[in-house]
Amino acid sequence: MKKKILFVCLGNICRSPLASAILKQLVSNAGLQDHFIIDSCGTSGNHQGEGADPRTIQNALRNGVTLHHRARKLRPEDLNSFDLILTMDQHNYREAVRLAEKDGFDSEHIRMMRSFDPLSADPQADVPDPWYGVESDFEEVFQILHRSCVSLLQSIRTFTFTAVPD
Ligand code: 4NP
């Protein structure tokens, strides 16, 4: 069974498409691409159909990551069809949980992205929204998402691919 992971932010043009591209690259580098479905979306539909923000694209490129992306809005069925839903901030988290509960879906699999950040003292910390920021803010987001994705993949590999004989 493929592991289905969905990243969620507000506009789906900065943080969540970057998280998706980073994790896809890490998964591909590990030769595990056949074991994963990785996607992203936004709680707002304001940028639906757009590519990623040019500042995110440029920063990612400088860090060796290429984005191929079209923005889309979070759909109620996403809350049921993905194994793990990782939200970038408290606003996205509350919205995803609200939508899940509205449709009677479980919300245990909805978590904050930085619960995987090895450098965050607070597992509920936000990935800061870089929309009104400058290049250093985009770089900070990249570093947070990269180290969180490394840790996320390590956790999934340990959990999913370690044979536990009984
Ligand atoms: P994202 O960033 O949620 O990481 O994609 C934003 C993108 C657009 C806006 C805000 C945040 N906006 O206000 O349009």
Side-chain angles (χ1 to χ4, degrees):
M1 277 280 276
K2 292 190 186 208
K3 194 93 185 153
K4 296 183 71 179
I5 300 173
L6 181 68
F7 295 103
V8 182
C9 62
L10 175 62
N12 192 218
I13 56 173
C14 296
R15 293 165 292 176
S16 64
L18 178 59
S20 175
I22 290 171
L23 185 63
K24 280 180 185 167
Q25 181 167 301
L26 292 171
V27 158
S28 174
N29 288 348
L32 295 171
Q33 58 278 1
D34 294 342
H35 295 272
F36 286 86
I37 291 173
I38 299 164
D39 196 5
S40 71
C41 64
T43 56
S44 119
N46 289 350
H47 295 275
Q48 279 198 91
E50 294 177 18
D53 186 292
R55 298 165 296 176
T56 294
I57 294 173
Q58 287 307 317
N59 173 270
L61 271 180
R62 275 193 286 280
N63 283 292
V65 175
T66 305
L67 272 79
H68 305 280
H69 178 66
R70 286 288 147 212
R72 74 168 179 88
K73 189 177 180 184
L74 176 65
R75 297 186 280 257
E77 59 267 32
D78 290 327
L79 283 320
N80 196 33
S81 62
F82 283 85
D83 301 308
L84 181 60
I85 296 174
L86 291 168
T87 59
M88 297 296 141
D89 62 36
Q90 290 287 340
H91 174 86
N92 322 139
Y93 177 80
R94 282 195 297 271
E95 182 60 8
V97 169
R98 187 187 71 78
L99 280 178
E101 289 178 350
K102 185 166 145 284
D103 282 357
F105 299 142
D106 184 22
S107 61
E108 292 286 297
H109 62 313
I110 304 173
R111 291 181 57 174
M112 289 287 281
M113 181 62 180
R114 291 192 80 178
S115 62
F116 288 97
D117 180 354
L119 296 188
S120 178
D122 176 7
Q124 304 307 319
D126 290 348
V127 178
D129 180 351
W131 178 252
Y132 292 107
V134 296
E135 168 55 22
S136 57
D137 300 298
F138 283 82
E139 180 62 20
E140 183 193 8
V141 167
F142 184 93
Q143 295 302 333
I144 291 170
L145 292 179
H146 187 269
R147 66 182 184 248
S148 300
C149 282
V150 168
S151 154
L152 167 64
L153 181 56
Q154 185 58 52
S155 303
I156 294 171
R157 289 184 77 168
T158 304
F159 185 68
T160 310
F161 300 110
T162 305
V164 184
D166 51 19

